[in-house]
Amino acid sequence: MILLAVLFLCFISSYSASVKGHTTGLSLNNDRLYKLTYSTEVFLDRGKGNLQDSVGYRISSNVDVALLWRSPDGDDNQLIQITMKDVNLENVNQQRGEKSIFKGKKSSQIIRKENLEAMQRPVLLHLIHGKIKEFYSYQNEPAAIENLKRGLASLFQMQLSSGTTNEVDISGDCKVTYQAHQDKVTKIKALDSCKIERAGFTTPHQVLGVTLKATSVTTYKIEDSFVVAVLSEEIRALRLNFLQSIAGKIVSRQKLELKTTEASVRLKPGKQVAAIIKAVDSKYTAIPIVGQVFQSKCKGCPSLSEHWQSIRKHLQPDNLSKAEAVRSFLAFIKHLRTAKKEEILQILKAENKEVLPQLVDAVTSAQTPDSLDAILDFLDFKSTESVILQERFLYACAFASHPDEELLRALISKFKGSFGSNDIRESVMIIIGALVRKLCQNQGCKLKGVIEAKKLILGGFEKAEKKEDIMMYLLALKNARLPEGIPLLLKYTETGEGPISHLAATTLQRYDVPFITDEVKKTMNRIYHQNRKIHEKTVRTTAAAIILKNNPSYMEVKNILLSIGELPKEMNKYMLSIVQDILRFETPASKMVRQVLKEMVAHNYDRFSKSGSSSAYTGYVERTSHSASTYSLDILYSGSGILRRSNLNIFQYIEKTPLHGIQVVIEAQGLEALIAATPDEGEENLDSYAGLSALLFDVQLRPVTFFNGYSDLMSKMLSASSDPMSVVKGLLLLIDHSQELQLQSGLKANMDVQGGLAIDITGAMEFSLWYRESKTRVKNRVSVLITGGITVDSSFVKAGLEIGAETEAGLEFISTVQFSQYPFLVCLQMDKEDVPYRQFETKYERLSTGRGYVSRKRKESLIGGCEFPLHQENSDMCKVVFAPQPESSSSGWF
């Protein structure tokens, strides 16, 4: 019995395996000609699903399918011939009426004679078990026409049994799942699994990136092992994550329906398919079934030089605060990506010094091998006359949307050379750190260039002989955030002096929670509680912030709370404000803080009634169901009333993913002697210094100095100049997504999103002994433009959708302190100006002959300005008021 049971199981197993391995597909009857109708249509809209709002077109034809050969060794080995006839073009939106671009035009005029002849030439399809073995066509046919025939032929690849497998068709090598039910088969193609070579890139950060969705479902109705009807629908959707109004969708459908059958030629005899094909027509050749790339020729498009001349007036320095400057910047980047090195160099060399910085921004942001070679040839890093251009080049590198290893290697090579300006040398190293971070985020940590850059940063600390060099490498590490750099940061934070210790601490502050280990927190506790040595207030408060941000323990929170009351006066108030802000804003540490506050020893009037002017506050700029924008400001004063540090931060969140949009830190030290005040503990020997450090879109920039040393301070005061100092100025490309799609219908689609801004951040610090007053001022001005575009191209007709939004905004922070008496008077202001907000939408259909239809819509609104609360005693959220303007629209011929 056991032997019989084993034999039975083996039989069942082998039978089951043979069924799974037999994937029978469509089977044509001998000597029959199948006559079908076929159409492929495409719709473009913003995802609202309203046909009236869509643009697109439909290509329809009759199709003849005949069986030419069947292998004598098996019915599932077939050679079929597919022929398109009577090709026609029409609008998908029937309400277009008189505005239809096809009205009064014959298909032969639109498609052109040579294209139409190629489209109607038959193709051969070799099927084995329903799967495409080879696709045969004529050589040198237009790629766009062959793709349309590939799209039709791919519909004949299917299997009649359920299961999941991989298939190669026009979309590439894709994972497909079949669901068979009696006379119906459904094929679901996982488009994100398709392996096909197509150009494209994206911004990897979730906040600045896009969300893509793609589905493909094909339904077959089967009768007598052949299709009676096929309906295929492919949907491609795109949405910008932080601005969801930038969205678009492509719906591509194919329909194939059997009308009748009639007698056909007899099957060709033979055993080898190659001989049969040669007998049919020796000009047939096997070509890939996978869709091929083609580019439509641009008629009447300007040259790079002509394009630049038409937009350069918008990039004059006085016009950079306008959205039109950003629009011109983004458009020129697209053109630069198709330009050769020589063309780019010619424009760079011919431009004047006023517009040249903006041109450098655009050339660097293009991020092509030709543009990189051109800008590196143009810039001379040994020169002191082109420092502004060198700096603009480096900033554009720092904010590169999709940097590659070649850019990193170029900067490493420059760093090893000589410089005319030490500031530029420092900036190069700082930007190398930013590129290392971006490449690692995009799975490039093991690239040779990245490994070399890591060694350069970490090894630099050993070779550094000057304090300035140590700070340069710390700033690079602040951008790169290398885990292997944490031991060095702990060393410099705990044993370093003055600015080095503080910079090392703020660098640690940028690391994500998993890297802040128990060892790191032990060191931060020692620093905050001064177990081994006296530390500056700025270092101690940063150490406390690191502890409270990274899953603090009960005892860590308790010890920090118990320290309040034992600290220097203004530090007491600062730490109290930090704790109150954690509770009010419900940060992750708030639960632990609330638990500790249940103890009377930690939560009592004496501890929570400490006075002072230092403060910390966090609030919302904007908040929706899926995103939020927050701002925070913390200010620490010395005991004498002089600003020690102000720290302004703006974050953008998409769900739980943050983007550190802006950080502006103003620091001052060693100024007590000016007003005959006593320095705080641990700060007796600090040199007079004031400076500003900025972080922009997760990239730390090189700090700028207001004054350094007593003599420099006195000269600045005597000059009585309060002119703001530029921190960063330029045109930045932040959002950059581009992809080319092969639709399964054979049409080519492109999806692009670009976002740029013109930014100008300035900072100033004024100090008056006469009025015993200090004032700091930080001003941000930005112009932002975001555009999204979707096109579907057949080479003879094209449909497109363009959407966008633009704004110009200003944000100013002013801190004024009068220290003629104690407690000193403090005034904090953060104002947002009125913000115009404009949205636009353009839809079009265009023939290759030049005739077209366009529809434009524009909507404007005004977002009222407001003052943001910066103190807990005034915590009402800034009210944003929208003043919508009437929507305008137009449509017509062009």
Side-chain angles (χ1 to χ4, degrees):
M1 286 293 293
I2 294 175
L3 180 60
L4 286 172
V6 171
L7 290 171
F8 178 77
L9 288 173
C10 290
F11 171 77
I12 290 296
S13 177
S14 64
Y15 175 79
S16 177
S18 69
V19 171
K20 290 178 182 176
H22 185 70
T23 54
T24 304
L26 298 177
S27 179
L28 281 71
N29 291 329
N30 298 351
D31 308 330
R32 301 301 298 174
L33 178 66
Y34 295 81
K35 302 188 82 63
L36 306 98
T37 57
Y38 172 69
S39 69
T40 178
E41 58 189 18
V42 62
F43 304 83
L44 281 72
D45 63 25
R46 297 181 65 174
K48 299 175 182 178
N50 189 348
L51 182 62
Q52 295 179 6
D53 292 333
S54 66
V55 287
Y57 48 88
R58 180 184 296 114
I59 304 171
S60 59
S61 72
N62 293 319
V63 175
D64 288 352
V65 180
L67 179 65
L68 299 183
W69 172 83
R70 192 192 302 276
S71 172
D73 299 327
D75 290 346
D76 280 339
N77 191 345
Q78 308 168 91
L79 181 69
I80 65 174
Q81 184 182 67
I82 304 170
T83 308
M84 297 179 70
K85 294 182 176 181
D86 308 320
V87 180
N88 189 39
L89 296 170
E90 56 186 320
N91 277 107
V92 291
N93 190 338
Q94 298 300 328
Q95 297 186 353
R96 193 78 75 236
E98 293 296 322
K99 295 180 180 179
S100 171
I101 60 174
F102 303 112
K103 186 173 179 62
K105 289 273 188 178
K106 294 181 180 180
S107 298
S108 57
Q109 293 175 301
I110 299 170
I111 301 174
R112 294 208 166 105
K113 182 180 178 182
E114 60 275 17
N115 285 341
L116 187 59
E117 289 175 352
M119 192 181 296
Q120 296 184 152
R121 278 196 286 266
V123 295
L124 305 182
L125 201 60
H126 184 195
L127 297 172
I128 298 179
H129 296 304
K131 302 304 169 73
I132 297 173
K133 176 68 175 175
E134 291 288 358
F135 176 69
Y136 297 90
S137 186
Y138 294 93
Q139 284 187 330
N140 301 322
E141 287 191 343
I145 302 301
E146 281 190 334
N147 282 349
L148 290 172
K149 295 196 283 187
R150 286 183 176 101
L152 170 60
S154 293
L155 291 178
F156 290 90
Q157 177 168 245
M158 59 90 66
Q159 67 185 44
L160 298 174
S161 58
S162 299
T164 299
T165 185
N166 269 62
E167 289 182 353
V168 178
D169 64 7
I170 187 170
S171 304
D173 188 345
C174 309
K175 180 181 177 182
V176 295
T177 300
Y178 285 92
Q179 299 170 353
H181 305 283
Q182 296 179 348
D183 62 345
K184 180 181 175 184
V185 176
T186 301
K187 177 165 74 172
I188 301 170
K189 186 189 298 182
L191 292 172
D192 56 354
S193 72
C194 294
K195 298 174 183 176
I196 183 171
E197 289 188 11
R198 286 293 183 272
F201 46 81
T202 192
T203 305
H205 200 290
Q206 183 182 351
V207 175
L208 299 175
V210 300
T211 296
L212 302 170
K213 291 185 179 180
T215 61
S216 170
V217 179
T218 304
T219 303
Y220 294 85
K221 188 176 180 183
I222 307 298
E223 198 174 283
D224 193 20
S225 296
F226 191 69
V227 292
V228 176
V230 182
L231 176 61
S232 180
E233 182 174 84
E234 176 181 10
I235 298 176
R236 304 273 189 163
L238 171 147
R239 187 187 70 240
L240 184 61
N241 289 335
F242 86 92
L243 187 61
Q244 296 196 354
S245 62
I246 306 296
K249 184 172 73 171
I250 300 171
V251 179
S252 175
R253 295 183 184 137
Q254 292 170 277
K255 295 179 183 178
L256 188 64
E257 189 175 358
L258 178 64
K259 290 301 181 184
T260 185
T261 63
E262 58 185 53
S264 180
V265 296
R266 297 179 62 84
L267 293 185
K268 297 187 179 296
K271 289 188 175 183
Q272 299 298 323
V273 69
I276 303 299
I277 293 168
K278 189 174 182 179
V280 174
D281 191 336
S282 60
K283 294 181 181 179
Y284 274 118
T285 184
I287 63 174
I289 187 66
V290 178
Q292 301 300 296
V293 176
F294 72 90
Q295 296 294 334
S296 295
K297 293 181 180 179
C298 185
K299 295 182 179 180
C301 292
S303 66
L304 187 72
S305 178
E306 291 170 340
H307 187 176
W308 173 247
Q309 291 302 320
S310 70
I311 65 166
R312 64 183 303 278
K313 62 178 179 292
H314 300 302
L315 298 179
Q316 294 285 343
D318 293 342
N319 294 331
L320 292 184
S321 61
K322 301 174 183 177
E324 189 59 40
V326 187
R327 187 187 308 278
S328 300
F329 169 67
L330 295 180
F332 195 58
I333 286 175
K334 287 184 178 180
H335 204 153
L336 282 165
R337 285 176 171 165
T338 63
K340 298 297 182 184
K341 173 184 174 180
E342 292 73 20
E343 296 177 89
I344 301 171
L345 262 176
Q346 185 179 358
I347 296 175
L348 285 166
K349 291 177 179 179
E351 195 47 73
N352 64 44
K353 63 180 182 179
E354 287 187 347
V355 185
L356 198 49
Q358 289 74 261
L359 179 57
V360 169
D361 291 337
V363 171
T364 311
S365 299
Q367 301 173 73
T368 66
D370 282 279
S371 65
L372 179 60
D373 288 346
I375 196 68
L376 289 176
D377 279 6
F378 177 71
L379 294 175
D380 180 9
F381 283 82
K382 298 176 183 178
S383 170
T384 57
E385 297 179 358
S386 61
V387 168
I388 292 176
L389 300 181
Q390 296 167 38
E391 192 170 59
R392 294 285 279 264
F393 162 71
L394 292 171
Y395 284 161
C397 291
F399 300 111
S401 54
H402 51 280
D404 59 14
E405 187 182 8
E406 289 306 310
L407 176 59
L408 179 60
R409 284 186 177 278
L411 292 189
I412 292 173
S413 175
K414 291 296 178 185
F415 183 77
K416 293 177 179 178
S418 57
F419 291 87
S421 165
N422 193 59
D423 287 349
I424 295 299
R425 177 178 176 269
E426 291 178 5
S427 291
V428 169
M429 175 49 62
I430 294 167
I431 303 314
I432 285 173
L435 292 179
V436 167
R437 174 72 176 173
K438 289 193 174 188
L439 288 168
C440 282
Q441 285 178 324
N442 210 22
Q443 289 78 47
C445 254
K446 294 182 179 180
L447 294 171
K448 290 182 180 180
V450 174
I451 294 171
E452 183 182 355
K454 287 182 180 181
K455 290 179 180 178
L456 192 62
I457 295 170
L458 298 174
F461 290 99
E462 298 177 5
K463 301 174 184 177
E465 297 178 354
K466 298 186 294 184
K467 179 183 76 173
E468 290 77 12
D469 284 342
I470 293 174
M471 296 187 70
M472 174 183 70
Y473 288 112
L474 284 172
L475 288 165
L477 195 53
K478 193 172 185 179
N479 274 331
R481 283 175 265 178
L482 303 175
E484 51 267 51
I486 290 177
L488 282 168
L489 294 174
L490 294 177
K491 167 191 165 185
Y492 283 110
T493 304
E494 191 165 21
T495 63
E497 297 295 332
I500 290 179
S501 177
H502 183 224
L503 179 55
T506 57
T507 300
L508 271 171
Q509 196 174 12
R510 296 211 68 208
Y511 280 77
D512 295 330
V513 174
F515 298 106
I516 306 301
T517 61
D518 290 340
E519 180 186 355
V520 175
K521 289 206 283 185
K522 284 179 183 178
T523 305
M524 294 302 104
N525 276 290
R526 287 198 302 268
I527 292 169
Y528 177 75
H529 296 290
Q530 303 189 120
N531 298 134
R532 293 184 178 176
K533 60 173 285 190
I534 303 299
H535 293 276
E536 296 178 36
K537 292 193 299 292
T538 53
V539 180
R540 295 180 69 189
T541 53
T542 303
I546 292 171
I547 295 167
L548 293 171
K549 180 186 173 185
N550 295 277
N551 301 322
S553 67
Y554 187 91
M555 286 307 300
E556 286 172 337
V557 174
K558 183 176 179 180
N559 287 335
I560 288 175
L561 288 173
L562 291 177
S563 72
I564 298 175
E566 309 299 326
L567 305 169
K569 189 176 182 67
E570 282 299 323
M571 189 173 169
N572 269 328
K573 178 62 176 176
Y574 180 86
M575 290 306 301
L576 182 60
S577 296
I578 289 289
V579 171
Q580 291 172 333
D581 193 48
I582 287 172
L583 294 172
R584 185 188 56 80
F585 203 67
E586 295 288 345
T587 67
S590 61
K591 291 183 180 179
M592 187 62 72
V593 173
R594 292 186 194 280
Q595 288 184 30
V596 175
L597 288 177
K598 291 177 182 179
E599 292 192 39
M600 188 64 71
V601 67
H603 189 194
N604 54 62
Y605 177 79
D606 179 62
R607 203 173 306 283
F608 275 74
S609 62
K610 299 301 178 184
S611 62
S613 297
S614 299
S615 65
Y617 186 86
T618 304
Y620 286 103
V621 177
E622 186 181 18
R623 193 178 187 183
T624 66
S625 59
H626 87 288
S627 67
S629 181
T630 67
Y631 70 95
S632 65
L633 174 68
D634 59 83
I635 300 183
L636 176 64
Y637 292 100
S638 68
S640 56
I642 297 175
L643 176 72
R644 193 67 177 83
R645 182 187 67 202
S646 74
N647 185 359
L648 173 67
N649 292 276
I650 297 177
F651 280 87
Q652 177 70 44
Y653 291 86
I654 297 296
E655 296 175 350
K656 294 184 179 180
T657 302
L659 173 67
H660 203 163
I662 295 176
Q663 180 188 62
V664 180
V665 180
I666 295 179
E667 295 181 70
Q669 65 179 38
L671 303 181
E672 284 76 13
L674 293 175
I675 57 172
T678 303
D680 292 335
E681 181 186 27
E683 301 181 357
E684 296 87 355
N685 301 316
L686 295 178
D687 293 332
S688 298
Y689 166 83
L692 186 150
S693 174
L695 183 148
L696 189 62
F697 298 106
D698 261 342
V699 176
Q700 173 68 51
L701 306 177
R702 183 180 60 82
V704 296
T705 300
F706 296 137
F707 57 81
N708 191 4
Y710 188 78
S711 59
D712 190 23
L713 167 61
M714 295 309 297
S715 68
K716 296 284 174 61
M717 290 178 63
L718 292 173
S719 67
S721 174
S722 60
D723 292 338
M725 183 174 290
S726 177
V727 181
V728 60
K729 183 175 184 177
L731 292 156
L732 306 179
L733 175 66
L734 288 180
I735 300 167
D736 199 13
H737 174 88
S738 177
Q739 65 179 141
E740 185 176 311
L741 302 172
Q742 178 60 68
L743 301 182
Q744 60 192 26
S745 62
L747 299 172
K748 182 187 79 167
N750 288 84
M751 287 184 164
D752 300 283
V753 180
Q754 279 189 311
L757 74 160
I759 189 164
D760 186 4
I761 300 179
T762 57
M765 185 172 183
E766 305 168 32
F767 195 88
S768 172
L769 285 176
W770 182 262
Y771 294 105
R772 298 182 73 81
E773 179 182 274
S774 68
K775 179 178 287 188
T776 58
R777 185 188 301 266
V778 177
K779 190 167 186 177
N780 304 306
R781 287 211 59 84
V782 295
S783 300
V784 184
L785 173 70
I786 300 170
T787 62
I790 299 176
T791 60
V792 178
D793 193 1
S794 68
S795 79
F796 47 84
V797 59
K798 185 176 185 178
L801 167 67
E802 296 174 0
I803 53 221
E806 63 184 31
T807 186
E808 297 106 16
L811 186 68
E812 186 172 22
F813 163 67
I814 304 171
S815 168
T816 306
V817 181
Q818 293 182 351
F819 46 87
S820 56
Q821 59 183 357
Y822 194 89
F824 35 82
L825 302 178
V826 180
C827 177
L828 305 177
Q829 297 170 265
M830 190 166 79
D831 301 335
K832 184 180 74 171
E833 302 172 359
D834 289 351
V835 178
Y837 181 65
R838 297 177 286 271
Q839 296 173 281
F840 51 88
E841 173 189 291
T842 302
K843 298 174 183 177
Y844 63 87
E845 296 161 353
R846 181 185 299 128
L847 300 179
S848 61
T849 56
R851 186 180 186 185
Y853 163 85
V854 64
S855 169
R856 294 186 177 92
K857 292 182 180 179
R858 183 182 177 91
K859 187 177 182 180
E860 297 188 23
S861 57
L862 185 67
I863 304 173
C866 59
E867 292 187 6
F868 290 93
L870 298 174
H871 200 273
Q872 294 173 14
E873 281 74 15
N874 181 22
S875 58
D876 290 334
M877 184 174 176
C878 176
K879 305 298 183 184
V880 178
V881 180
F882 289 86
Q885 306 295 318
E887 182 178 292
S888 62
S889 63
S890 63
S891 64
W893 298 90
F894 65 87

